[in-house]
Amino acid sequence: MIFIGIFAFIFLIVIGLNIYDSSNLQKLEDYIKTQNCINYSYSRGSYKAICNEKVLKLENSFNIDLEKNKKEFLYVNIRNSKLQKNTIYINNEKFEFKQKENAKEFYNLLQEKLGNDRNN
């Protein structure tokens, strides 16, 4: 009987943390939508987004503090970017993706935005 109680308690904790984590993801998605981003994806514990004037990286954590968890890269300040396997490097910052196709799509959009921004 004690084991059933312990398992039930652990089960409730896991469910509670999962619900709390999904509300964090919703907060991050809402923030991305307010920034007028045209493409975003979630992988490896962070959101990566291509927006009109910048690239965003939002780290997921237990407590969401956008000032601490957010990294912004304005297109005019991006000096270099490269794609290596499932990782994109922007000014030496790593953007990791689970799938190479997602990384490649993100990188192509980034290059398109960088080309458009530098031509204007």
Side-chain angles (χ1 to χ4, degrees), residues 76-90:
V76 296
N77 296 334
I78 294 177
R79 295 179 308 281
N80 55 41
S81 62
K82 65 181 174 180
L83 174 64
Q84 289 183 335
K85 296 185 181 180
N86 297 1
T87 304
I88 298 172
Y89 294 90
I90 300 174

Side-chain angles (χ1 to χ4, degrees), residues 69-113:
N69 296 42
K70 171 180 72 169
K71 293 183 181 176
E72 293 182 344
F73 301 89
L74 296 174
Y75 295 125
V76 296
N77 296 334
I78 294 177
R79 295 179 308 281
N80 55 41
S81 62
K82 65 181 174 180
L83 174 64
Q84 289 183 335
K85 296 185 181 180
N86 297 1
T87 304
I88 298 172
Y89 294 90
I90 300 174
N91 294 348
N92 298 322
E93 178 72 30
K94 282 174 96 171
F95 287 70
E96 295 182 279
F97 294 83
K98 284 184 182 176
Q99 298 178 344
K100 188 173 186 173
E101 297 82 30
N102 293 346
K104 198 169 189 177
E105 179 184 347
F106 193 91
Y107 185 74
N108 290 338
L109 279 170
L110 173 65
Q111 294 306 308
E112 184 180 308
K113 282 298 217 176

Side-chain angles (χ1 to χ4, degrees), residues 1-14:
M1 190 66 164
I2 293 174
F3 290 118
I4 292 173
I6 291 171
F7 285 128
F9 180 70
I10 291 171
F11 184 73
L12 288 173
I13 288 174
V14 168

